Amino acid sequence: TPPDIIEKVSSEIATLLKSPDVQKKLEALGATPVGSTPEEFGNYVNDELKRWEKLIKPMNISLD
């Protein structure tokens, strides 16, 4: 995805997350609204993949 598109989407999402209505709806779903940069989100996803891989691989868990 081109960087300008990523920045635009990130900016729009950050604006939405500041909305009290959106915050209430997310919290009602059990989610905690957190704004971050695309880089921070990418790092979070990579960290989670590494974290869960440590559990999944030894247990031979697969999607099939």
Side-chain angles (χ1 to χ4, degrees):
T1 306
D4 59 324
I5 301 297
I6 291 172
E7 185 56 40
K8 176 70 173 166
V9 170
S10 177
S11 174
E12 293 296 325
I13 290 172
T15 299
L16 287 172
L17 289 176
K18 293 177 186 174
S19 163
D21 289 340
V22 171
Q23 289 180 3
K24 280 184 184 180
K25 287 179 184 177
L26 289 172
E27 289 169 357
L29 294 170
T32 303
V34 178
S36 64
T37 67
E39 293 80 17
E40 289 169 330
F41 181 67
N43 290 337
Y44 171 77
V45 170
N46 288 331
D47 290 345
E48 287 295 296
L49 288 171
K50 289 175 191 172
R51 179 178 149 210
W52 287 103
E53 181 179 47
K54 291 176 187 176
L55 174 69
I56 292 169
K57 275 196 173 184
M59 297 181 76
N60 292 321
I61 297 171
S62 67
L63 295 176
D64 29 271

